[in-house]
Amino acid sequence: MSEYIHKRHNVTVLLYHLVFPAKYRRAVIDPQVDEVLRDVCLQIEDRYQLKFLEIGTDEDHVHFLVQSVPTYAVTKLVTIIKSITTREIFRSCPHIKKQLWGGEFWSDGYFASTVGKHGDEDMIKNYVQNQGKEYTKLHDDRQLALF
């Protein structure tokens, strides 16, 4: 679940629904790619000021529910996620690079939408889970509650 991010002079809760289609809309996202994608995204969280609340894949595209800070524009988030995940997927899954003729993993385009804190976050999660052909949840952020 999202949290309020407290900085020195502001408090924010900025949520984005991002969708990245694979190059040529090819069905190249398999269980091995799922695993690499999840692991890389969780490592990205450690280095950048963003948090993946949910990651879900279909055969030819990936949905991200991402929380970030206002200093990151949407294009910067997209660039960070696309560049690092592409490099690691090609490194760990050489068969994917052959399927895409040695080119890029993601298409040039993407979908981005803001998500409201009150009420809309669950609606987007349900939408992401119920659309498409075959949805596989790779990560779900669940924090242990003490009380």
Side-chain angles (χ1 to χ4, degrees), residues 2-3 19 25 33 43 51 54 64 68 70 78 80 85 89 92 97-98 108 129 138 146:
S2 62
E3 302 171 355
V19 182
R25 278 303 259 214
V33 172
Q43 291 172 6
K51 183 172 182 64
E54 188 160 328
F64 298 97
S68 186
V78 169
I80 289 168
T85 56
I89 288 170
S92 300
K97 195 166 188 173
K98 287 179 185 175
D108 292 336
Q129 292 169 358
L138 301 181
L146 298 176

Side-chain angles (χ1 to χ4, degrees), residues 52-65:
F52 291 91
L53 300 177
E54 188 160 328
I55 304 167
T57 62
D58 208 338
E59 296 172 341
D60 61 354
H61 65 278
V62 178
H63 290 266
F64 298 97
L65 187 58

Side-chain angles (χ1 to χ4, degrees), residues 66-123:
V66 180
Q67 181 176 7
S68 186
V69 293
T71 54
Y72 285 176
V74 174
T75 53
K76 183 172 182 174
L77 290 174
V78 169
T79 303
I80 289 168
I81 297 168
K82 279 187 172 184
S83 64
I84 295 172
T85 56
T86 296
R87 182 182 66 228
E88 294 303 314
I89 288 170
F90 280 166
R91 187 181 60 75
S92 300
C93 308
H95 66 282
I96 300 296
K97 195 166 188 173
K98 287 179 185 175
Q99 286 180 316
L100 296 172
W101 304 314
E104 303 166 348
F105 183 78
W106 302 113
S107 70
D108 292 336
Y110 61 90
F111 170 82
S113 173
T114 56
V115 180
K117 169 69 175 158
H118 300 288
D120 291 340
E121 184 176 350
D122 290 331
M123 183 180 76

Side-chain angles (χ1 to χ4, degrees), residues 15-32:
L15 304 172
Y16 302 100
H17 173 216
L18 304 173
V19 182
F20 299 164
K23 191 72 170 181
Y24 315 117
R25 278 303 259 214
R26 289 198 121 162
V28 294
I29 300 170
D30 60 19
Q32 185 181 5

